[in-house]
Amino acid sequence: MALIEAEGLEKRYPGTDFTAVAGIGFRVERGEAFGFLGPNGAGKSSTMRMLACVSQPSGGSLRILGDDPVVHGRALRARLGVVPQDDALDLQLTVRENLIVYGLYFGLSLKHMRAKSAELLEFAQLADKAGERVEHLSGGMRRRLTIARSLVNDPEILLLDEPTTGLDPQARHILWDRLFRLKSAGVTLILTTHYMDEAEQLCDRLVIMDKGLIADEGTPRELIDRHVTREVVELRFPPGEQEQAAEKLGGDVEVLPDRLLCYADDGDAALARVTEAGLRPLTALVRRATLEDVFLRLTGRSLTD
Amino acid sequence: MTRALAYWLFRYRRTWQGTVVVSVANPLLFLLAIGAGLGSLVRGDVEGVPYLEFFAPGMLAAAAFQNAFIDAGFGVASARGRERVYQTAVATPLSPGEVMGGHLLFVGLRVFVGALAFVAVMAGFGLFSSSGTAVAVLLAATLTGIAPAAVVAAWAVTVTDFPRLNTVFRFVVMPMYLFSGTFFSVEQLPAALQTIMYALPLWHGADLCRSLALGTATPGTTLLHVAYLGVMAVAGVLIGRVTFRKVLYV
Ligand SMILES: Nc1ncnc2c1ncn2[C@@H]1O[C@H](COP(=O)(O)OP(=O)(O)OP(=O)(O)O)[C@@H](O)[C@H]1O
Ligand SMILES: [Mg+2]
């Protein structure tokens, strides 16, 4: 049995005729790390909130741990961990108190939570901040605290909405490391991101979401193989010369506002052809194809605009 | 519900001393001012008792009512808005109804503590004939706060802009605060206004507190006041269960 099964899942918010999630289907198996990759407004958070059993689907079917979240929301939420997009930590309370209070919400005892919070703070590398008010924590520390908080009930499924957005590279790597550990411990991870590298690093499988729909689904490798070539040559030309250059090059070329992308299995050979064609790009870079390219191919738009 | 209350108690731990000091100092200053000075400006007795005895239970009811509005109105709106306390809580097994219940229990506790401080000060002024009277007045004042608190919370959870709360405070709460027979008898108002005040909760609360304090309460009026406030509290909770769910499960 899949841990999560969605079919034709939809979400429209009351008072709007806009469809935030327009009929998506996916399955998540136990122990997987499953990702939703998509730009702003794709419907990632809307989907996550339905999975967290705090938002009623407007259509389609959703089963979480075999149950209907609308009917069994309370029992299901007891088995989920949620890291919302905005941390929603309590700034008035200390780091430790944030964990204790959240544990009490789950019906755990104060005694249990005293021990559990120490363990979680150790895990989140926040033990030395236990008595400090959350107000005084950096963004990266707050994010780790939010993850620690989501673990108070030893959840089977952890829902992470943009776990590393807004963090510096070092803070991201610490966080990724913690998520790897959770995954090795058998926790099923479901996360959203707009970072390609994050999806490639963390996700066993992912769906690419755009405008409330799933554009494609697979492992990072499968998606790259299916939609792009192994390598990509990025070329920059002076303004106005891009179109001409693209025509001259022919082949599999994507024109972006600021650069050209040539898809090729052998990037160096492709670059040689550029030179042979008499083109003189301002800069040229051969790199491996990424999910970013997949997204571009699928939607015709760049993810980070 | 007690799980949600625990959160508010954790927060209260840090601030309760300050709020208790204010809760004692406020009635102390008012009663001193009325007893020593202003009271003598009011010629003779009001409704057959010295002004201080008339004033104190009215002020008690008015303070409970006002504090309840501030805690339930501004407290609930910011818990849903800026602080996102409720959104955090409903991600756990807690239901929106329990989240509301926990917050209302806390508002009730704060109203109770405020009223307790006030009643203690009144006792210090020798305004109660017996400790039983003091307890009855304390419970009456708490009910006077809890009843509107439930209704206000049910509404405030839907409010996203604070200025609207201020407007209601200024144009609804303040007039009630002043004219509900709190500081002077409703009978001094024009007849039309009197009728309106009789229909509003604070008049019932103030009359309940005062009649109990002065020993003029009759079973009939006491029952009427308690029933009015009780129905208001229940109605607030029922409406709140709907509004909290609607706002928190979007
Ligand atoms: N509570 C709400 N009421 C009305 N519309 C909403 C609500 N929440 C989201 N939307 C709309 O639904 C669409 C999808 O939003 P959602 O937050 O799910 O996107 P997202 O993929 O998480 O984007 P982001 O990367 O910016 O977080 C957006 O157009 C948004 O404006
Ligand atoms: Mg989002």
Side-chain angles (χ1 to χ4, degrees):
Chain A
M1 181 198 72
L3 280 198
I4 293 183
E5 286 177 296
E7 244 183 70
L9 189 60
E10 291 177 21
K11 182 69 194 182
R12 277 177 301 279
Y13 289 99
T16 65
D17 48 7
F18 175 76
T19 306
V21 178
I24 61 174
F26 55 89
R27 294 165 66 90
V28 182
E29 306 291 337
R30 191 174 286 278
E32 255 192 318
F34 187 85
F36 291 90
L37 177 68
N40 289 129
K44 304 184 297 295
S45 295
S46 300
T47 305
M48 291 297 262
R49 290 171 38 72
M50 289 191 276
L51 296 182
C53 311
V54 293
S55 168
Q56 198 161 332
S58 319
S61 77
L62 179 61
R63 298 233 137 218
I64 300 172
L65 296 161
D67 286 328
D68 179 348
V70 177
V71 183
H72 301 284
R74 187 186 182 90
L76 286 174
R77 286 195 301 273
R79 301 166 68 184
L80 302 176
V82 177
V83 176
Q85 188 167 350
D86 59 337
D87 291 312
L89 291 164
D90 203 287
L91 302 184
Q92 316 237 358
L93 299 182
T94 66
V95 168
R96 188 193 292 111
E97 284 170 343
N98 263 275
L99 297 180
I100 290 179
V101 162
Y102 201 71
L104 297 181
Y105 284 162
F106 281 87
L108 301 166
S109 72
L110 199 57
K111 183 158 169 278
H112 173 80
M113 279 316 299
R114 287 221 178 87
K116 186 76 183 174
S117 60
E119 174 196 318
L120 289 171
L121 289 175
E122 202 62 51
F123 173 77
Q125 296 174 295
L126 288 169
D128 54 333
K129 302 280 178 195
E132 273 196 46
R133 293 249 217 136
V134 172
E135 259 177 315
H136 305 138
L137 298 192
S138 72
M141 291 177 189
R142 288 185 191 195
R143 215 59 189 140
R144 295 209 298 277
L145 177 57
T146 309
I147 291 179
R149 186 180 68 178
S150 73
L151 298 173
V152 296
N153 57 328
D154 296 311
E156 292 165 61
I157 302 176
L158 190 56
L159 301 166
L160 302 127
D161 199 354
E162 300 193 19
T164 66
T165 300
L167 301 189
D168 64 37
Q170 199 204 346
R172 289 176 74 192
H173 281 281
I174 299 179
L175 232 136
W176 285 353
D177 171 64
R178 300 294 118 169
L179 295 181
F180 274 128
R181 289 186 195 203
L182 288 172
K183 195 177 165 239
S184 333
V187 181
T188 305
L189 303 181
I190 301 181
L191 60 117
T192 74
T193 181
H194 6 217
Y195 296 120
M196 298 298 152
D197 54 342
E198 183 153 287
E200 293 186 77
Q201 283 277 336
L202 292 179
C203 299
D204 300 318
R205 239 154 33 82
L206 65 143
V207 293
I208 296 184
M209 259 190 111
D210 188 36
K211 297 181 178 154
L213 288 166
I214 288 178
D216 201 3
E217 192 227 302
T219 67
R221 197 66 249 161
E222 279 168 6
L223 289 168
I224 290 169
D225 289 346
R226 201 174 302 156
H227 297 285
V228 292
T229 49
R230 207 166 64 82
E231 294 191 326
V232 181
V233 187
E234 288 197 27
L235 304 168
R236 278 171 210 277
F237 288 96
E241 289 176 29
Q242 282 213 131
E243 300 289 340
Q244 267 176 303
E247 244 165 65
K248 232 176 180 174
L249 269 174
D252 201 352
V253 177
E254 189 86 43
V255 184
L256 298 183
D258 60 335
R259 65 213 142 108
L260 291 185
L261 301 182
C262 296
Y263 296 104
D265 283 323
D266 182 345
D268 289 323
L271 187 55
R273 279 199 303 280
V274 172
T275 324
E276 274 163 32
L279 294 171
R280 295 284 168 272
L282 296 175
T283 63
L285 167 74
V286 177
R287 60 167 175 79
R288 292 182 44 196
T290 67
L291 282 172
E292 172 98 49
D293 302 297
V294 174
F295 184 81
L296 194 68
R297 275 321 201 53
L298 280 168
T299 67
R301 285 177 299 119
S302 152
L303 238 176
T304 45
D305 56 19
Chain B
M1 217 151 77
T2 51
R3 297 181 188 176
L5 172 64
Y7 162 78
W8 294 102
L9 294 179
F10 262 90
R11 267 176 72 155
Y12 196 43
R13 263 195 344 178
R14 202 153 279 132
T15 53
W16 71 271
Q17 286 106 331
T19 62
V20 168
V21 169
V22 173
S23 303
V24 173
N26 214 29
L28 192 62
L29 289 175
F30 266 96
L31 296 191
L32 276 176
I34 297 293
L38 290 172
S40 56
L41 293 178
V42 182
R43 248 172 256 270
D45 297 345
V46 182
E47 292 185 351
V49 295
Y51 185 58
L52 182 64
E53 284 181 42
F54 175 87
F55 168 86
M59 171 89 201
L60 166 66
F65 182 80
Q66 188 187 40
N67 290 339
F69 181 87
I70 291 171
D71 275 18
F74 293 93
V76 166
S78 35
R80 177 259 167 121
R82 185 171 42 83
E83 298 178 2
R84 302 186 71 73
V85 173
Y86 296 158
Q87 287 85 345
T88 299
V90 293
T92 74
L94 294 186
S95 66
E98 287 168 298
V99 169
M100 172 188 68
H103 199 168
L104 278 180
L105 281 180
F106 179 65
V107 172
L109 176 74
R110 294 247 306 168
V111 168
F112 176 81
V113 170
L116 182 65
F118 203 121
V119 165
V121 172
M122 282 170 71
F125 278 79
L127 294 176
F128 295 116
S129 54
S130 72
S131 53
T133 310
V135 170
V137 171
L138 171 61
L139 295 178
T142 306
L143 182 61
T144 304
I146 285 177
V151 174
V152 169
W155 164 69
V157 76
T158 66
V159 174
T160 44
D161 59 332
F162 264 55
R164 265 180 63 197
L165 288 169
N166 279 319
T167 306
V168 170
F169 186 71
R170 212 166 295 150
F171 297 108
V172 179
V173 177
M174 283 318 283
M176 269 203 248
Y177 180 84
L178 293 171
F179 299 123
S180 294
T182 41
F183 306 113
F184 56 87
S185 171
V186 177
E187 278 149 37
Q188 285 168 256
L189 291 171
L193 267 180
Q194 267 185 46
T195 317
I196 295 175
M197 294 335 282
Y198 289 143
L200 296 175
L202 185 49
W203 177 75
H204 290 275
D207 199 58
L208 181 64
C209 290
R210 182 174 294 125
S211 59
L212 288 170
L214 299 179
T216 58
T218 66
T221 52
T222 303
L223 191 68
L224 171 74
H225 295 324
V226 171
Y228 179 106
L229 295 170
V231 167
M232 187 177 187
V234 171
V237 169
L238 292 179
I239 301 166
R241 284 168 65 103
V242 176
T243 54
F244 269 68
R245 175 166 294 266
K246 205 169 139 218
V247 166
L248 297 179
Y249 281 175
V250 281

